[in-house]
Amino acid sequence: AQSVTQLGSHVSVSEGALVLLRCNYSSSVPPYLFWYVQYPNQGLQLLLKYTSAATLVKGINGFEAEFKKSETSFHLTKPSAHMSDAAEYFCAVSAGGDYKLSFGAGTTVTVRA
Amino acid sequence: KAGVTQTPRYLIKTRGQQVTLSCSPISGHRSVSWYQQTPGQGLQFLFEYFSETQRNKGNFPGRFSGRQFSNSRSEMNVSTLELGDSALYLCASSPGQGNRETQYFGPGTRLLVL
């Protein structure tokens, strides 16, 4: 079975500051990892995904994440926060051929002007 | 391509009733997955269909069921509604060939059970 843990349910950053969202995974087989963003009253939008091709993954809207097997982590970063980054972010894992995503609890990001 | 569409977007039902939600995947996608999102339990996997067959099922009671049609459109049904079934129900589609694939989500159906 696979699972993810997101550290911190709420993160508040100043506009222009670094955004760092933490995700640790557990999987008995090589995982595929995803970050999704959810804006109010909307579905989930893919930010980026790791599928073993490269450990540093670049996504949309200036986000990137680094897969670290030794730390079982897949943290999401953005160098400079923008007001439009205010949303809820979910880390998810897929593994073992069971065709499902297992999500973390989510991290809500607020951006202060 | 058009994205994943879900209908209706909002529903209000009373306890004991049943409800059917619909999902139309992205054209060409053959896999449809359903997830329940609540403030307390977060995002939980309900089931996944591929070519009209259920390939995986989450840990939900039998009141939750689904099906997929030959055109890949999917429906999920919840019978004997309970207050705790109030949630955002999200549908996602993908080509259906494996775990590497991105699942593309619809806007969801928000169900309120009174």
Side-chain angles (χ1 to χ4, degrees):
Chain A
Q2 62 273 6
S3 64
V4 293
T5 302
Q6 291 184 242
L7 300 176
S9 58
H10 290 89
V11 168
S12 179
V13 299
S14 297
E15 193 173 20
L18 171 72
V19 179
L20 170 60
L21 305 182
R22 301 178 187 274
C23 172
N24 288 89
Y25 69 90
S26 172
S27 178
S28 57
V29 298
Y32 302 120
L33 295 159
F34 305 80
W35 275 100
Y36 283 88
V37 60
Q38 186 176 35
Y39 299 100
N41 299 315
Q42 294 187 28
L44 302 177
Q45 179 183 6
L46 180 74
L47 283 175
L48 50 80
K49 66 178 181 181
Y50 167 76
T51 57
S52 76
T55 57
L56 182 62
V57 182
K58 294 188 183 297
I60 62 171
N61 301 339
F63 285 94
E64 65 180 36
E66 186 172 8
F67 173 75
K68 292 186 176 181
K69 184 177 179 180
S70 61
E71 299 178 7
T72 60
S73 68
F74 189 56
H75 302 330
L76 181 71
T77 60
K78 181 174 180 176
S80 178
H82 191 271
M83 298 298 287
S84 61
D85 295 327
E88 190 163 18
Y89 293 79
F90 294 93
C91 182
V93 63
S94 176
D98 59 6
Y99 308 104
K100 75 173 187 180
L101 290 171
S102 297
F103 286 90
T107 299
T108 299
V109 172
T110 57
V111 182
R112 305 185 304 271
Chain B
K1 281 185 179 178
V4 178
T5 58
Q6 293 187 245
T7 56
R9 290 293 310 277
Y10 302 93
L11 268 177
I12 300 176
K13 294 286 187 180
T14 57
R15 281 179 298 173
Q17 288 186 310
Q18 74 165 15
V19 67
T20 299
L21 312 181
S22 181
C23 172
S24 292
I26 291 171
S27 178
H29 286 188
R30 297 169 65 190
S31 170
V32 173
S33 299
W34 289 88
Y35 295 84
Q36 181 197 63
Q37 185 177 24
T38 60
Q41 299 299 315
L43 280 152
Q44 294 186 286
F45 172 78
L46 280 156
F47 27 65
E48 187 260 355
Y49 286 88
F50 176 81
S51 292
E52 304 178 66
T53 299
Q54 187 182 89
R55 290 196 296 194
N56 197 5
K57 187 178 188 302
N59 189 24
F60 279 82
R63 300 185 297 106
F64 291 82
S65 63
R67 60 178 176 170
Q68 187 180 34
F69 301 95
S70 58
N71 63 357
S72 295
R73 190 177 69 84
S74 177
E75 290 181 345
M76 67 162 283
N77 182 275
V78 188
S79 62
T80 319
L81 284 166
E82 300 178 359
L83 296 179
D85 297 333
S86 295
L88 180 66
Y89 289 89
L90 292 165
C91 163
S93 78
S94 69
Q97 301 306 310
N99 289 327
R100 292 174 176 263
E101 297 175 347
T102 297
Q103 292 191 21
Y104 296 89
F105 284 80
T109 295
R110 188 166 295 280
L111 172 65
L112 177 61
V113 181
L114 301 175

